[in-house]
Amino acid sequence: MAVSGTELGFLDQRRAGGGFRWEIRRARQQAGAITKTGRERLLLPDDRHPTGWARRKIGRDGTLWLYENGDPRRWYRYEL
């Protein structure tokens, strides 16, 4: 999960069509309630679809860090 002010982002991943699909589910906190605001499909650099699970997911403030399929040398960053 990544948090920036009232904005939230949750990583969702699943198998889809013989491959993997990563998405960010976005939400906003307003008046003590959390409301879903959208969903965004994540692609890797060069618009490549992921070939495995996101591993070692780390959320720091408004940034989500993760790496693909167990390769700790290649981290990817998503910012709210």
Side-chain angles (χ1 to χ4, degrees):
M1 178 169 78
V3 179
S4 178
T6 60
E7 300 290 317
L8 307 160
F10 302 89
L11 175 68
D12 181 20
Q13 56 184 340
R14 63 184 181 277
R15 290 187 185 273
F20 294 85
R21 184 176 183 127
W22 297 356
E23 293 180 334
I24 295 291
R25 292 180 186 223
R26 294 182 70 123
R28 176 175 289 137
Q29 181 185 17
Q30 295 176 311
I34 295 176
T35 305
K36 182 180 172 181
T37 59
R39 184 183 293 199
E40 183 179 339
R41 187 168 186 180
L42 293 182
L43 295 176
L44 298 174
D46 69 7
D47 292 330
R48 185 172 60 83
H49 294 274
T51 59
W53 298 109
R55 304 286 185 199
R56 301 277 181 165
K57 300 160 291 287
I58 299 171
R60 289 227 172 125
D61 300 323
T63 304
L64 180 66
W65 295 88
L66 52 93
Y67 62 79
E68 178 187 14
N69 209 27
D71 183 358
R73 297 169 298 172
R74 298 194 65 186
W75 284 87
Y76 300 102
R77 181 180 74 196
Y78 174 84
E79 295 196 33
L80 289 179

